[in-house]
Amino acid sequence: MRIIRAKDYEDMSRKAAAVLAAQVTVKPDCVLGLATGSTPIGTYDCLAQWCKEGVLDFSRVSTVNLDEYRGLDHENDQSYYYFMNKNLFSRINIDPAHTHVPNGMEPDPEKESKRYEELIRSLGGIDIQLLGIGHDGHIGFNEPNSFFDKYTHCVDLTEMTIEANKRFFASADEVPRQAYTMGIGTIMHARKLLMIVSGEDKADIAAAAFCGEVKPEVPASIIQFHPDVTIIGDEAALSKIPE
């Protein structure tokens, strides 16, 4: 595990973007695992700018996203497909057919979970997976549990996650109660993991996840067992982790 301390959010975003850019440069037809939420927006801004400047070429890249709300279609402005298209895909020269997000409109959880796992395998696996971390330690939508979910599945969102995400909706009542998400096993099969964390409000969970006991009650703690993981955080987020 490599922990890189950034000065602030902007510095964290540039450093994370540089890691992803290096992957694209070394392997132009790589498979990027991507994440949503407020934390990676700065990283996506950097990637889009570098593509615009001609520094990066995404024409042969494929992407797979961690998760999607169940019940939201691609046109819904709160869907993660919409988020990714707005913040990254529409701003880079990637083939839309090579961008993949779980199908939130599939009513059969078993069918969609199996389809998404087979899709990832058909692409040859994920070269590098970008991750954020929730206040309760969730990664993707893998919530605190008594066990680690292995594969893509449909999950009931916790009240903490619903509360954290309600700022994106008109009210908490509009936040979907379920989502499709890659499982912990799916995430851990990525060849590399890149975790980004920002803000003083993430300091406690960052310390627990990166330095504490590995347990399913803190899902992100599992990354301690991955052979190639890089954590990039700003000073506030990493303030409770020893140098």
Side-chain angles (χ1 to χ4, degrees), residues 159-172:
E159 286 303 316
M160 180 179 287
T161 297
I162 292 169
E163 181 69 20
N165 290 345
K166 74 176 185 180
R167 68 187 188 277
F168 301 115
F169 294 81
S171 70

Side-chain angles (χ1 to χ4, degrees), residues 59-79:
S59 61
R60 296 170 59 194
V61 170
S62 296
T63 68
V64 288
N65 260 76
L66 281 168
D67 42 30
E68 176 61 284
Y69 286 119
R70 188 180 183 198
L72 299 189
D73 61 33
H74 288 177
E75 302 304 316
N76 190 301
D77 62 4
Q78 298 304 323
S79 74

Side-chain angles (χ1 to χ4, degrees), residues 210-222:
F210 309 151
C211 302
E213 178 186 356
V214 175
K215 55 184 180 180
E217 290 80 5
V218 183
S221 65
I222 193 68

Side-chain angles (χ1 to χ4, degrees), residues 36-83:
T36 53
S38 56
T39 306
I41 289 177
T43 298
Y44 295 153
D45 285 342
C46 290
L47 294 176
Q49 183 61 36
W50 295 341
C51 182
K52 181 180 179 180
E53 294 170 354
V55 177
L56 277 178
D57 177 13
F58 289 90
S59 61
R60 296 170 59 194
V61 170
S62 296
T63 68
V64 288
N65 260 76
L66 281 168
D67 42 30
E68 176 61 284
Y69 286 119
R70 188 180 183 198
L72 299 189
D73 61 33
H74 288 177
E75 302 304 316
N76 190 301
D77 62 4
Q78 298 304 323
S79 74
Y80 286 160
Y81 178 92
Y82 188 98
F83 173 97

Side-chain angles (χ1 to χ4, degrees), residues 92-166:
I92 60 176
N93 66 327
I94 195 168
D95 184 344
H98 293 169
T99 64
H100 306 283
V101 179
N103 179 12
M105 296 305 292
E106 171 55 59
D108 186 336
E110 185 175 344
K111 178 181 178 181
E112 178 56 17
S113 300
K114 182 179 180 181
R115 182 197 72 84
Y116 207 62
E117 285 291 322
E118 291 177 349
L119 167 68
I120 294 171
R121 284 196 292 271
S122 73
L123 294 172
I126 300 168
D127 289 297
I128 184 167
Q129 177 65 58
L130 178 65
L131 298 168
I133 183 172
H135 290 92
D136 60 359
H138 71 250
I139 48 175
F141 272 130
N142 292 283
E143 304 281 14
N145 208 335
S146 59
F147 58 92
F148 290 113
D149 284 292
K150 291 183 179 180
Y151 306 113
T152 299
H153 60 287
C154 182
V155 63
D156 294 325
L157 304 184
T158 65
E159 286 303 316
M160 180 179 287
T161 297
I162 292 169
E163 181 69 20
N165 290 345
K166 74 176 185 180

Side-chain angles (χ1 to χ4, degrees), residues 4-7 12 195-198 231-235 237-238:
I4 299 173
R5 296 175 184 268
K7 181 176 62 175
M12 179 207 72
M195 169 74 77
I196 55 176
V197 56
S198 175
I231 296 165
I232 303 177
D234 59 24
E235 292 180 354
L238 300 181

